[in-house]
Amino acid sequence: IVRIEVTNDAASVTRPHVTDAWLSTEGHGLQIVSDVAKDWGVYENDDLDLVVWCELHCSDVDVAVAVGN
């Protein structure tokens, strides 16, 4: 399992969300994350920043290729 976390300073007005509304300017990146990740979510850290996380389930071969081994 590979876990990725991205922190936002929580200054944005909207909470991260997935959308398939083509006319929207938000949520398309999380649509990709939702499609490829095993699980993902959002939480607020101790500094009140929003953290978007995802978990990717990879085989040992996939991980070795990704890190260049």
Side-chain angles (χ1 to χ4, degrees):
I1 297 174
V2 175
R3 184 177 175 106
I4 302 169
E5 293 188 354
V6 178
T7 303
N8 185 352
D9 63 9
S12 76
V13 176
T14 61
R15 187 144 178 93
H17 63 281
V18 173
T19 185
D20 58 0
W22 290 106
L23 298 178
S24 173
T25 59
E26 299 178 342
H28 296 287
L30 282 180
Q31 181 65 53
I32 296 168
V33 170
S34 179
D35 288 346
V36 300
K38 184 69 172 173
D39 198 12
W40 72 275
V42 179
Y43 70 90
E44 199 171 85
N45 67 13
D46 293 339
D47 295 327
L48 303 179
D49 296 330
L50 288 179
V51 179
V52 177
W53 61 270
C54 72
E55 292 181 350
L56 306 171
H57 292 221
C58 304
S59 71
D60 292 338
V61 174
D62 294 335
V63 173
V65 169
V67 295
N69 290 329

